[in-house]
Amino acid sequence: MEDLSLPKIDYAAVAPMLILFGVACVGVLFEGVLPKAARRVTQLVLALLGLVAALSVIVWQSDTRVLTAGGAVAIDGPTLFLQGAIIVLGIMALLLIGDRAMEHGGAFVAQAAITVGSEADRKQAVKEQGATEVYPLTVFAIAGMLLFVAANDLLTMFVALEVFSLPLYLLCALARRRRLLSQEAALKYFLLGAYASAFFLFGVALVYGFAGGVEFGTIHDSVTESTQSTVLLYAGLAMIAIGLLFKAAAAPFHVWTPDVYQGAPTPITGLMAACTKVAAFGGLLRVLYVGFDGVAWDYTPILGVVAVLTMLIGAVLAVTQTDIKRLLAYSSIANAGYLLVGVLALSKDGLSSTMFYLVAYGFTVIAAFGVVTLVRDADGEATHLSRWAGLGRRSPLYAGIFTFILLAFAGIPLTSGFIAKFAVFGAALDSGEAWLVVFGVVTSMLLAFPYLRVVVMMWLSEPGESTPTVSIPGGLTAAALVIGVVATLVLGVAPAPLLDLTTSAADFVR
Amino acid sequence: MHDTVEYAHASGLLSSVWLLIAIPLASAAILLLLGKRADKWGHWLGVASVGVSFVLGLTYFFQLRGLDNRAVELSLFDYIEVGSLHVDFGLLFDPLSAVFVLLITGVGSLIHLYAVGYMEHDAGRRRFFGYFNLFVAAMLLLVLGNNFVMLYIGWEGVGLASYLLISFWVERPSAATAGKKAFLMNRVGDAGFAIAIFLMFAQLGTTQYDEVFNGIGAVASGTVLIMGLLLLLGATGKSGQFPLQAWLPDAMEGPTPVSALIHAATMVTAGVYLIARSNPIFTANETLQTVVVSVGALTLLIGCIIGCAKDDIKRVLAWSTVSQIGYMFLGVGLGGAAYALAIVHLLAHGFFKAGLFLGAGSVMHGMHDQTDIRRFGGLWRYMRITWATFGLAWLAIIGLPPLSGFFSKEPIIVAAYEREGWTAWLFGTAALIGAGVTAFYMTRLFVLTFHGPKRWTEDIDHPHESPPVMTVPLVLLAVGSVAAGGLMASSVPDWLVPALGDHSGEEVHAVMSHGLITALSIVVTLLGAGLAYALFRNGTALQEQPAGPVVTAARRNLYADAFNEAVFEKPGIFLTRALVFLDNRGIDGLVNGLAAAVGGGSSRLRRLQTGFVRSYAMSMLTGALLVVAAFLALQLGWLA
């Protein structure tokens, strides 16, 4: 019998994940021992410090290219870049999560278990401070995402998937206002997420049957060498892809997105739209580029159809939305389609442009949800679009910021959205995927329409009786907004440094 | 074929060409960011910034004249660099962009000045000047870029600014609808343009003008055709040409200075600029040129036919713009020496059309914003300056010698007759008929507005002339309408040789003698004008009269709107509804149906009705089955 021995672990390389998991555990501990009054500040500072520390380690480790933990974790250019992106976007989301200036007690409910509408619920709605468990939960989610983009075998990837999904399901249910909607969203997300996970896991089993291993290296080699029936390979790849496309919100696995984006507390929606997207596409990139690149010719047309469908559904349905959060959800779906176009370029350019897109989109989308948290009335956020009419007259600054964000989503030049789209479409064309680019260009023209409709509504309509005022953001939200808007502008005007960075990071280790 | 295109690097004074764009942009930023604090003086800043740009443009122009290689490039910084894709944030100052810069800033300053008076009582005047400056900056970027991506950035910028400006008076629902229509039709064109750029990049690996033009010879003819058609689609969208002409007249809902600057003098000519700039691409494929010529000829006829049937002063002018740009497309489509002719017509048109629009604005200013020409009449006595300047611009547009329209339009008609084969008759005659009809409807407009009996609405007793801040630009533009054509017809083609190629040595034969064509064009012009004068000197009915099928069709914009609605809007709405239906209800309905069939009985159905998650899961399952099936089908070779 072989000796069982622990695999060698490069602790420096995995330090960012260890730090964050550690911080999250300490956070849970704090919930038990700290007095209630001290928890929020402590938790927030702890989480932010942990994220900053993890980011510093990533920067310090930026030249690391290793397989570690027995080949289960790959720390390479894409991993480090995407981990860095997740942390930076995570910090922004955490700033939104931590803000309590707009609403007494913050955006989160104090005790989610209290029955909605009961006497106790009414009491907690006005009196209690929001739950502080959200901070360790958020850090757990972010740490899981870090592991997800680093996972070098399918099982680690699955574990990471669950680690970052479960906290998100919980976080979705914690809205202070409209609690039923929030709980419904969480339940839907959980059920469908579990469903998608099952697909993923089944796919892993099938691929294991084909390759005799779950490491991407093994799978890559077995594509040419294995004597097993390729039915296992293809069915397995299809199911793994389904699991990942679910998280990425690609059609027809996007169905949860509008409901969940609408129901979840807005800061959490921001976290999902930015960080989950990075993680999902990070995982998808590694699966397709490292594990299954040998069958690229076979999956490109199928995933191409998925991409086209995703772009079409996202763009067309965005046109008819009347709720700003649902509108942004459909826009997020369409963006998943554009990202898929980049992924399917299946080249170094495809990898680097997709990574650029993820970062550019992440900054913009968090800022967008940041603005959504500001527009509110006595009942909380006013998300119905008719309520945004005439916002430009009431508060030109925030309407101006939101206009800029929408222009970036629409891909108008001199915003990061234009460069990002240009880069992914350019990469796809270079790889001969002209049909995807044609659909991409056409749908993005289409998608510009709902965005501009909002712009026109904000600036050119008279404010109605029901136009809410815009709350003055607390320092934390303001910081997140500034970061998001400045990044959107800078990446649009001078994208060269980040493009260089993504290009130099665009090499997987196998 | 084309000579190698080469641009020198900008040095000395010319290395500050970027100031042309930066000054109006900075002014726009100040106006929009300072908010109410700038209300008092903001409009003057707006005028001054464009004026300064004009003076700078003149300086650069003379500087450029002194150079041997009259095309200089200035790379500001690397804009996009991904893999093999490299895009400079670079500018190109050559004869073509120089004349456009002078047109945009020159006519632009006059219109800005005019707008100070026109918008005096509007609460949003500062914001208006902010958008206006933004537009000028974007338009300058459009003509000054040294690659197609820069052009595209400017292109989107002017589109955005024009959208904002059309919808400026949003309290009118028609303005908002018009803005939407302009936006959508432009997007169709923009999509074509964007795909053309990607195609260019895929084929040639670059979007820099010089590299594209030098490499185009090596590209397969079919690809050049597609690339050119896509560029043409973009150009037709922006310039209001067939089949995307319907938005331009509706865009007249914006303030009149906007119509003058954007929808007459500058932005709508961007399509002509695009084709003239990409002349090596269009010259490389003969089919492509024929398509451009056809678009031009068709549009110029559509424009002037509809122009005859409209009663709104701004809409008549708008359709005349469509028609005149048709002449320009005809010119750039003919290729060779006609490229320069089209540009000359574009510049001359910039003057007289701006004059016409501003004159119309002045009339509206004095007539309580009335735009119906059936409700004018006899105004010449009350608005002498407007009458005189409008009259000169009118004589210029119908092409009567020696005004500028004659020198710019007549050569295009001649050039059309110089095509080879029977198409010379087709296109030449179309252009000739267009000239006659233009003379008819423009004379109708002029006579009904300024002469004949008064047909005013009751609330007007004494129309007044506009203040000097509005009439001074009118006078200056009128001077341009008189003189610009003659001056430019001789000098501009030579000046443009570095950008459009030297065609002076080429021998051409018209199917008729040059003199005969000139005589014919003057005769049809006089006929058209005379007919209109005879018909309308005694005024016209105040209400729309029943009319035959031709006039009705013209009143309905030759059914272009109905066509768009049937072909694009209805299927679009249907597609959206279908998708919404599927996304929200379809799958659920399917599942409900299945459940009912399987279980039977409504109680069971109700118990299953726990929410929508199940239907979402069903949709995912369907998707999953399809994806897995597709993979397996591939594997078994069914799809391969």
Side-chain angles (χ1 to χ4, degrees), chain B residues 97-433:
Chain B
S97 35
V99 294
F100 268 91
V101 165
L102 291 182
L103 175 76
I104 295 161
T105 54
V107 175
S109 338
L110 293 179
I111 298 175
H112 270 70
L113 187 62
Y114 174 96
V116 171
Y118 190 85
M119 301 295 288
E120 195 174 356
H121 306 296
D122 197 298
R125 180 162 70 166
R126 173 192 50 79
R127 197 157 48 90
F128 175 82
F129 273 92
Y131 296 155
F132 228 30
N133 277 342
L134 191 66
F135 168 79
V136 170
M139 188 71 203
L140 287 170
L141 182 65
L142 191 159
V143 299
L144 280 171
N146 77 343
N147 58 60
F148 282 96
V149 175
M150 288 296 108
L151 205 168
Y152 183 77
I153 294 178
W155 191 268
E156 290 277 328
V158 292
L160 191 68
S162 103
Y163 180 62
L164 289 172
L165 286 165
I166 295 170
S167 323
F168 189 78
W169 281 331
V170 78
E171 53 271 23
R172 307 179 183 174
S174 57
T177 319
K180 203 190 285 183
K181 190 167 175 184
F183 178 74
L184 285 178
M185 299 204 92
N186 267 299
R187 290 315 272 184
V188 175
D190 292 355
F193 187 17
I195 295 173
I197 293 177
F198 281 116
L199 190 62
M200 210 174 277
F201 169 64
Q203 289 291 321
L204 297 159
T206 176
T207 59
Q208 303 288 118
Y209 291 147
D210 47 356
E211 293 168 17
V212 170
F213 299 155
N214 292 332
I216 196 74
V219 177
S221 167
T223 314
V224 176
L225 179 63
I226 294 173
M227 200 187 292
L229 287 177
L230 288 168
L231 286 175
L232 179 64
L233 184 66
T236 53
K238 201 56 102 202
S239 290
Q241 297 292 289
F242 181 83
L244 299 176
Q245 79 279 18
W247 69 269
L248 185 55
D250 284 10
M252 297 304 136
E253 292 294 341
T256 305
V258 173
S259 313
L261 179 62
I262 298 184
H263 306 115
T266 59
M267 184 189 85
V268 291
T269 58
V272 183
Y273 173 79
L274 174 63
I275 297 181
R277 175 56 81 196
S278 342
N279 66 79
I281 299 179
F282 284 85
T283 312
N285 188 305
E286 214 159 295
T287 321
L288 199 51
Q289 287 189 312
T290 312
V291 176
V292 180
V293 175
S294 313
V295 166
L298 191 58
T299 316
L300 82 87
L301 288 177
I302 291 177
C304 56
I305 290 171
I306 299 179
C308 294
K310 293 288 165 182
D311 296 310
D312 180 307
I313 187 166
K314 285 175 77 181
R315 285 189 187 242
V316 176
L317 292 177
W319 283 109
S320 90
T321 305
V322 170
S323 160
Q324 295 300 313
I325 297 174
Y327 275 103
M328 299 171 208
F329 268 64
L330 184 66
V332 289
L334 291 169
Y339 276 118
L341 300 178
I343 300 299
V344 173
H345 190 50
L346 189 158
L347 298 173
H349 175 259
F351 283 99
F352 57 68
K353 186 51 65 65
L356 287 168
F357 263 112
L358 296 189
S362 175
V363 170
M364 287 160 58
H365 200 69
M367 296 287 283
H368 293 235
D369 284 333
Q370 174 65 266
T371 57
D372 190 337
I373 51 176
R374 290 170 300 197
R375 287 302 192 162
F376 295 148
L379 287 176
W380 69 278
R381 208 190 298 274
Y382 302 91
M383 312 179 161
R384 296 284 173 120
I385 302 178
T386 307
W387 168 71
T389 55
F390 199 94
L392 287 171
W394 156 63
L395 291 173
I397 194 174
I398 66 176
L400 220 56
L403 283 90
S404 74
F406 172 74
F407 294 102
S408 63
K409 196 198 294 179
E410 192 263 352
I412 295 181
I413 302 176
V414 174
Y417 274 117
E418 282 168 355
R419 270 182 76 89
E420 282 171 19
W422 61 274
T423 55
W425 289 104
L426 184 68
F427 296 122
T429 311
L432 199 58
I433 293 174

Side-chain angles (χ1 to χ4, degrees), chain A residues 265-352:
Chain A
T266 307
I268 300 302
T269 314
L271 178 74
M272 288 193 292
C275 297
T276 309
K277 204 137 228 125
V278 178
F281 274 94
L284 192 64
L285 281 167
R286 191 174 293 277
V287 166
L288 295 182
Y289 279 54
V290 182
F292 293 90
D293 54 334
V295 288
W297 278 110
D298 298 322
Y299 65 67
T300 310
I302 298 172
L303 293 185
V305 171
V306 170
V308 168
L309 200 63
T310 308
M311 294 187 282
L312 274 179
I313 287 189
V316 172
L317 288 180
V319 176
T320 59
Q321 296 309 312
T322 52
D323 183 285
I324 187 73
K325 283 171 87 177
R326 287 185 85 85
L327 173 65
L328 290 174
Y330 279 105
S331 133
S332 156
I333 292 168
N335 276 291
Y338 304 133
L339 281 159
L340 269 178
V341 171
V343 171
L344 290 177
L346 294 170
S347 60
K348 193 174 150 75
D349 281 354
L351 176 56
S352 64

Side-chain angles (χ1 to χ4, degrees), chain A residues 345-367:
Chain A
L346 294 170
S347 60
K348 193 174 150 75
D349 281 354
L351 176 56
S352 64
S353 61
T354 309
M355 292 197 295
F356 181 88
Y357 199 119
L358 284 167
V359 174
Y361 177 70
F363 277 120
T364 317
V365 83
I366 293 192

Side-chain angles (χ1 to χ4, degrees), chain A residues 12-37:
Chain A
V14 297
M17 293 175 258
L18 295 181
I19 292 174
L20 288 187
F21 279 123
V23 163
C25 292
V26 172
V28 173
L29 208 63
F30 278 1
E31 281 300 309
V33 296
L34 282 184
K36 229 175 185 177

